[in-house]
């Protein structure tokens, strides 16, 4: 009797989880599937698969030829990767300094550096734009990289510091006895040590950068420096009638993220749930 | 700072420069591009432009923001919408996230890894992409939703929800929930996995079933995460909500400003729209007002919620 009850419970649980799975995937699948179809098939049979006469790659052709999507991708990739590199390197350096050494002002600087978690950098947009213009960096990818690095550092420093404080000092101290300089200790001992939380920090920093609309729109809206997010936004604004192109543009924006996610999801989710972020 | 430390320990003065080297890059970039702009914006909110020269006007901009009907109407409308957005996320998104996380954390559940991978997927996508996907799906032109509703026999209930003043904000909120449920879900999930096995076992020996173990044992233990989720929802709602509103409804947050939030209001006051010229000083004033609103929230969290929750924690 109890086993039957358990089984019913488990069926119920899977029914709930499967419903949300469906809800999460259906909209995405609908867009990707229809992006491969002719205009007639998109409207006539939205739920049909792109087979036979319904198959059409026109949307993709027009996205790839009439727009600068490959360039937008390059821009997003550069901005995200370079910002991420600086966030991880500078964040680990600062976290190492505050967690390893005792010096006057340590508490102050630790709190100062993580204040940004609670106070979004967007609130300084007006002055930030003036600053970027004064520095001659308007409409450059450099502007975005600097702003995203500043935006990502607090959470990175917070996670790295929490982690480094929990690591025993013995390894570092024995390296010191071996006569390694403090710089070599950082690069040869601390960097390998923080590897487990790098995934966590990377995820927390990367998603908001790749998907951001606010700063590209304000700091670098120019054609040459557009990111994918802004590119899609503007492209769709112009081509609302050409459904094939719109659906293809959306798919082009989804697919790389999807592929990356399928490859890295395991590390990614382990990173998020690793307990580095506690209430 | 290092120098201050050095003077107290003169023999080590030269050796401790590395602390400065480690701290300098992060501190410099963060100060110049995050902290300085926020304080500079606060300062700019006390000025106005007269013949292209900044003139100090004290709190006049704030008086204008809250006193002149043109500004005050927009401000309070955006504020009211933000509060509604926040409450809907707290009442819908976070309970869904908690329920899904609770189910996922059942130790005997098969396929948990696949489920959580899929549940987090929409969160990774750009808000712009998600916005357009739902705009197409809900569009009367394409007919996916009206057809589906017709098949269920409720076809006459279909409305262009995003285009109606009465339903636009709720629809946008539901889309945002669809996308962002993954973040609280993961935070709850991580917290639930950290509940010690012995505690659960002890409750089971006391004769509690799964349902009661969740309410009586696990939930009190993950209350700190609940507080964290609440404050993250609050901050995100006041700043990040710009992205979804701007991509779904445009800078005018239509129809008729019914989906206007502080983010879109800030954008319009700074850059202007239609006949209204942009005003950087009013932009700074709106941003500063937002700064104080967030400060109040964070203050409540740090001094109230956090402190009370820590007692459960220990």
């Amino acid at each position: 009797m109890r086993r039957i009850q358990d089984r019913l419970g488990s069926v119920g649980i899977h029914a709930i989880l499967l419903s949300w799975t469906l809800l999460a995937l259906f909209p995405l699948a609908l867009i990707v599937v229809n992006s491969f179809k002719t205009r007639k098939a998109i409207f006539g049979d939205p739920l049909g698969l792109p087979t036979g006469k319904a198959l059409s790659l026109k949307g993709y052709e027009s996205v790839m030829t009439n727009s600068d999507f490959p360039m937008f991708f390059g821009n997003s990739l550069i901005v995200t990767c370079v910002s991420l590199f600086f966030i991880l390197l500078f964040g680990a350096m600062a976290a190492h300094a505050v967690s390893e050494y005792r010096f006057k002002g340590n508490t102050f600087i630790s709190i100062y550096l993580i204040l940004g978690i609670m106070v979004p950098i967007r609130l300084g947009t007006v002055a930030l734009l003036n600053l970027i213009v004064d520095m001659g960096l308007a409409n450059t990818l450099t502007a975005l990289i600097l702003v995203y690095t500043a935006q990502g550092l607090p959470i990175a420093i917070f996670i790295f510091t929490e982690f480094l404080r929990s690591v025993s000092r013995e390894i570092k101290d024995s390296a010191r006895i071996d006569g390694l300089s403090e710089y070599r200790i950082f690069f040869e001992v601390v960097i390998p040590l923080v590897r487990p939380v790098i995934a966590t920090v990377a995820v927390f920093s990367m998603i908001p950068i790749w998907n951001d609309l606010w700063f590209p729109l304000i700091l670098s809206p120019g054609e040459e420096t557009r990111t994918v997010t802004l590119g899609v936004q503007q492209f769709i604004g112009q081509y609302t009638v050409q459904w094939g192109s719109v659906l293809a543009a959306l798919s082009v924006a989804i697919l790389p993220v999807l592929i990356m996610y399928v490859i890295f999801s395991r590390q990614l989710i382990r990173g998020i749930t690793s307990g580095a972020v506690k209430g | 700072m290092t120098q201050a430390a050095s003077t107290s320990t003169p023999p080590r003065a030269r050796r401790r420069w590395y602390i400065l080297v480690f701290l300098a890059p992060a501190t410099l970039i963060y100060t110049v591009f995050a902290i300085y702009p926020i304080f500079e914006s606060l300062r700019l909110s006390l000025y106005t432009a007269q013949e292209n020269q900044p003139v100090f006007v004290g709190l006049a901009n704030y008086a204008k923001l809250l006193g002149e009907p043109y500004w005050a109407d927009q401000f309070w409308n955006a504020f009211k919408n933000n509060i509604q957005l926040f409450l809907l996320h707290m009442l819908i998104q976070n309970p869904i996230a908690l329920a899904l996380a609770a189910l996922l954390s059942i130790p005997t559940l098969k396929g948990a890894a696949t489920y959580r991978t899929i549940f987090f997927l929409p969160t990774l996508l750009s808000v712009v992409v998600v916005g357009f996907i739902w705009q197409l799906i809900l569009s009367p032109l394409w007919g996916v939703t009206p057809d589906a509703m017709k098949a269920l026999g409720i076809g006459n209930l279909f409305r262009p929800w995003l285009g109606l003043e009465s339903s636009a904000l709720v629809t946008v909120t539901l889309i945002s929930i669809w996308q962002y449920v993954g973040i609280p879900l993961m935070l709850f999930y991580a917290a639930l996995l950290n509940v010690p096995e012995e505690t659960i076992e002890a409750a089971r020996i006391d004769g509690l079933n799964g349902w009661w173990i969740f309410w009586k044992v696990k939930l009190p233990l993950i209350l700190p995460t609940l507080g964290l989720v609440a404050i993250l929802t609050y901050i995100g709602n006041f700043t990040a909500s710009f992205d979804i509103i701007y991509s779904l409804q445009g800078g005018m947050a239509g129809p008729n400003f019914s989906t206007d939030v502080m983010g879109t209001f800030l954008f319009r006051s700074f850059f202007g729209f239609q006949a209204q010229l942009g005003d950087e000083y009013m932009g700074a004033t709106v941003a500063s007002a937002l700064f104080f609103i967030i400060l109040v929230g964070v203050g409540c969290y740090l001094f109230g919620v956090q402190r009370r929750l820590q007692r459960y924690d220990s």
Side-chain angles (χ1 to χ4, degrees):
Chain A
M1 190 62 202
R2 213 191 133 81
R3 266 177 80 190
I4 297 170
Q5 235 178 7
D6 279 357
R7 197 163 297 167
L8 277 177
S10 135
V11 170
I13 289 165
H14 280 285
I16 296 170
L17 293 174
L18 280 172
S19 325
W20 194 270
T21 304
L22 203 66
L23 191 62
L25 291 183
F26 176 73
L28 305 178
L30 190 69
I31 298 302
V32 175
V33 166
N34 278 288
S35 70
F36 293 102
K37 291 173 14 181
T38 59
R39 188 186 156 80
K40 215 178 124 202
I42 293 172
F43 280 95
D45 183 18
L47 299 183
L49 289 174
T51 45
K53 259 169 65 184
L55 181 73
S56 158
L57 295 175
K58 265 232 172 80
Y60 286 91
E61 270 173 42
S62 88
V63 167
M64 286 308 178
T65 51
N66 298 344
S67 75
D68 297 312
F69 265 90
M71 188 178 77
F72 299 160
F73 257 110
N75 289 341
S76 275
L77 218 57
I78 293 171
V79 168
T80 310
C81 291
V82 178
S83 311
L84 204 58
F85 174 78
F86 286 139
I87 292 170
L88 291 172
L89 178 65
F90 296 160
M93 279 164 63
H96 171 64
V98 296
S99 64
E100 176 74 12
Y101 308 113
R102 292 162 64 101
F103 57 91
K104 215 172 163 186
N106 184 318
T107 317
F108 170 79
I109 196 108
S110 327
I111 293 174
Y112 174 75
L113 286 173
I114 60 170
L115 272 183
I117 298 178
M118 290 297 181
V119 188
I121 189 171
R122 281 186 188 194
L123 298 179
T125 303
V126 176
L128 196 55
L129 179 61
N130 290 344
L131 179 71
I132 294 291
V133 171
D134 290 346
M135 293 172 87
L137 290 175
N139 272 323
T140 61
L141 296 180
T142 316
L144 291 178
I145 290 169
L146 288 167
V147 171
Y148 289 142
T149 306
Q151 174 185 272
L153 278 170
I155 190 101
I157 291 172
F158 175 72
I159 297 175
F160 277 138
T161 308
E162 291 283 296
F163 181 77
L164 281 172
R165 287 208 170 119
S166 69
V167 172
S168 96
R169 304 178 59 94
E170 278 171 34
I171 316 171
K172 283 173 260 173
D173 285 339
S174 69
R176 233 163 244 141
I177 291 164
D178 290 346
L180 259 65
S181 75
E182 293 299 324
Y183 301 107
R184 283 188 64 191
I185 289 177
F186 174 74
F187 284 105
E188 290 169 28
V189 181
V190 175
I191 293 270
L193 266 180
V194 296
R195 263 179 51 197
V197 276
I198 283 183
T200 312
V201 176
V203 174
F204 273 96
S205 326
M206 203 176 70
I207 302 172
I209 299 176
W210 181 271
N211 288 339
D212 188 38
L213 176 64
W214 178 264
F215 285 118
L217 189 63
I218 290 169
L219 299 180
S220 46
E223 183 85 26
E224 299 290 305
T225 51
R226 233 168 255 174
T227 58
V228 179
T229 306
L230 183 60
V232 169
Q233 201 265 337
Q234 313 237 311
F235 178 82
I236 293 176
Q238 286 165 9
Y239 293 83
T240 32
V241 228
Q242 296 177 29
W243 283 64
S245 311
V246 169
L247 294 173
L250 289 173
S251 304
V252 165
I254 299 172
L255 287 173
V257 183
L258 211 67
I259 293 164
M260 289 278 288
Y261 186 52
V262 169
I263 298 171
F264 291 112
S265 67
R266 207 161 266 275
Q267 287 96 311
L268 213 132
I269 298 207
R270 202 188 302 137
I272 302 172
T273 54
S274 68
V277 180
K278 286 183 189 134
Chain B
M1 187 158 320
T2 312
Q3 276 172 324
S6 311
T7 46
S8 58
T9 52
R12 302 175 63 187
R14 255 175 51 235
R15 276 179 50 207
R16 309 243 308 168
W17 274 103
Y18 50 76
I19 299 181
L20 196 66
V21 174
F22 284 132
L23 282 172
T27 312
L28 197 72
I29 294 185
Y30 171 72
T31 306
V32 175
F33 295 99
I35 299 297
Y36 162 77
I38 291 172
F39 282 98
E40 177 66 6
S41 291
L42 287 173
R43 196 183 67 85
L44 285 176
S45 75
L46 304 176
Y47 286 77
T48 195
Q50 272 171 19
E51 288 152 17
N52 277 331
Q53 286 300 311
V55 178
F56 183 79
V57 289
L59 295 175
N61 289 334
Y62 292 93
K64 193 167 155 190
L65 181 67
L66 300 173
E68 273 182 27
Y70 171 80
W71 290 99
D73 289 353
Q74 292 190 74
F75 176 81
W76 290 115
N77 176 50
F79 183 75
K80 186 196 84 212
N81 287 340
N82 262 137
I83 295 293
Q84 197 181 335
L85 211 66
F86 170 66
L87 292 177
L88 284 173
H89 277 91
M90 287 301 285
L91 292 174
I92 305 174
Q93 171 185 275
N94 298 340
I96 291 178
L98 184 59
L100 292 175
L103 294 180
L104 282 182
S105 66
I106 295 172
T108 53
L109 183 80
K110 287 203 183 83
T114 315
Y115 283 127
R116 59 177 198 209
T117 305
I118 293 169
F119 292 173
F120 197 66
L121 177 61
T123 309
L124 289 172
L125 299 176
S126 157
V127 175
V128 173
V129 170
V130 168
F132 279 110
I133 287 177
W134 280 99
Q135 206 172 38
L136 296 180
I137 289 174
L138 295 175
S139 156
L141 251 162
W142 195 8
V144 174
T145 311
D147 287 352
M149 291 181 69
K150 232 174 266 165
L152 292 169
I154 46 170
N156 55 346
L157 290 180
F158 177 81
R159 298 282 180 280
W161 289 287
L162 280 171
L164 294 175
E165 240 179 90
S166 54
S167 57
L169 186 64
V170 175
T171 313
V172 171
T173 311
L174 292 175
I175 294 171
S176 155
I177 290 171
W178 176 84
Q179 169 164 32
Y180 284 122
V181 79
I183 292 172
L185 171 68
M186 286 301 168
L187 291 171
F188 286 136
Y189 180 65
L192 286 169
L193 290 184
N194 280 337
V195 173
E197 197 55 43
E198 307 91 73
T199 322
I200 299 167
E201 204 43 51
R204 190 161 292 138
I205 291 165
D206 286 348
L208 288 180
N209 63 19
W211 176 257
W212 285 110
I213 288 176
F214 176 76
W215 285 106
K216 299 266 179 193
V217 181
K218 290 185 182 171
L219 197 59
L221 282 172
I222 65 161
L223 273 182
T225 309
L226 222 61
L228 180 75
V229 166
I231 189 66
L232 289 179
T233 310
Y234 183 82
I235 298 174
N237 150 74
F238 274 107
T239 53
S241 58
F242 166 84
D243 297 46
I244 192 136
I245 307 272
Y246 188 81
S247 39
L248 274 167
Q249 312 291 70
M252 300 284 288
N256 192 23
F257 298 109
S258 60
T259 54
D260 202 18
V261 287
M262 296 300 278
T264 38
F265 176 41
L266 166 59
F267 186 80
R268 284 198 316 272
S269 16
F270 185 14
F271 289 99
F273 69 104
Q274 291 178 345
Q276 177 71 29
L277 281 177
D279 178 344
E280 72 174 286
Y281 300 99
M282 280 315 281
T285 308
V286 176
S288 303
L290 199 46
F291 175 83
F292 293 118
I293 292 171
I294 288 175
L295 218 59
V296 168
V298 172
C300 288
Y301 168 70
L302 289 180
F303 293 106
V305 184
Q306 178 79 313
R307 194 166 294 178
R308 186 153 0 130
L309 291 178
Q310 241 141 32
R311 268 187 279 150
Y312 287 93
D313 209 12
S314 49

